[in-house]
Amino acid sequence: MEFLRPASWDEALAAKARHPDALPLCGGTDVMVELNFDLRRPPALLDLTRVAELTTWSDDGAVVRLGAAVPYSRIIAELSGPLPGLALAARTVGSPQIRNRGSVGGNLGAASPAGDAHPALLAAGRDVAVEAASVRGTRLIPIDAFYTGVKRNALAADELIRAVRIPVADGPQQFAKVGPRNAMVIAVCAFGFALHPRTGTVGTGIGSAAPTPRRAVEAEEYLRGEFAGRGLWERGGTLEAGLVRRFGELVAAAAAPIDDVRGSAAYRRHALAVIARRTLTWTWNEHRRQIRSTA
């Protein structure tokens, strides 16, 4: 196995162009497990730990450009304001050691349906985009087009993830995850939810309950219509129990789970309905508090 260790981004792109089958390595929280259990033997490893620009982020007030290797611990500490849903998801990742090494870029590269960052990214809005680069140039891949199959993504063989562009939250966001214990678990199922008062829309993201992370599109459209039709965005009224229940049903219906060692398909659907109802309630209550505080 060849070991490539570029010192700069340009060197990294050149190395990936010469070795398109090289496996990128930065935090290594997924890669090293696969290597240790002999689940993968790539012909080369591309170590990106010396590429400093991957560990930076910027915020222009509208969009956060999150470097691919910014660790989860820094997202929690530095980005809970502009990216609350992603920060909440980051808190559920592994142990402190894993959160100090793992990153959103690594989650995207692995493209596991159970990745904790994916539901939050989907819920953050359709303008979320993955910045993919190669010696041929840079392109933006919309988050909805990024996941192409189980542990497969839309990156070309010579491309690396440079950053993720995420709109700054304009309303409350939440993340919930179900597992057999409270910490250090792969999700049985997960759900990200965001209110977008500026556009009168909501965002959803389902994790670990389909071949790829996905939205609950019908559930989003249902809430958009109900909120607009009842004038709820402006007055912040109480959500009726039937509305909340129907939203949970539509989220569960959007999933395509399987039976496996972590849980049955039926349990995943039930759990998704529960956490969808809870995240909707939590975010809506926060929205109502914000309305009252500015009145």
Side-chain angles (χ1 to χ4, degrees), residues 14 42 44 83 118 137 145 208 244-245 262:
L83 304 179
H118 307 314
S208 203
V244 176
R245 182 173 60 254
R262 295 199 304 278

Side-chain angles (χ1 to χ4, degrees), residues 26-148:
C26 197
T29 58
D30 286 329
V31 171
M32 293 310 299
V33 172
E34 293 182 336
L35 294 179
N36 288 339
F37 283 90
D38 203 23
L39 299 176
R40 185 185 291 198
R41 277 292 179 265
L45 287 176
L46 179 59
D47 179 12
L48 300 174
T49 55
R50 294 201 295 172
V51 183
E53 74 171 78
L54 295 179
T55 62
T56 64
W57 63 269
S58 61
D59 178 1
D60 65 4
V63 174
V64 172
R65 183 179 180 274
L66 181 68
V70 175
Y72 291 114
S73 57
R74 285 185 55 204
I75 293 173
I76 297 166
E78 301 168 20
L79 290 166
S80 293
L83 304 179
L86 186 60
L88 286 169
R91 291 179 182 276
T92 74
V93 174
S95 62
Q97 295 90 336
I98 296 296
R99 292 192 290 274
N100 282 333
R101 297 291 296 175
S103 66
V104 172
N107 238 194
L108 288 166
S112 166
D116 293 315
H118 307 314
L121 292 176
L122 287 166
R126 296 182 184 276
D127 291 333
V128 175
V130 179
E131 193 176 308
S134 70
V135 294
R136 297 176 288 109
T138 300
R139 65 182 178 124
L140 295 178
I141 306 173
I143 192 66
D144 291 281
F146 186 78
Y147 311 107
T148 61

Side-chain angles (χ1 to χ4, degrees), residues 118-124 175-176 190-194 203-207 213-216 220 251 272:
H118 307 314
L121 292 176
L122 287 166
F175 175 83
F191 186 68
F193 183 73
T204 61
I206 294 172
R214 61 170 58 173
R215 296 182 189 278
E220 292 179 2
V251 168
L272 275 172

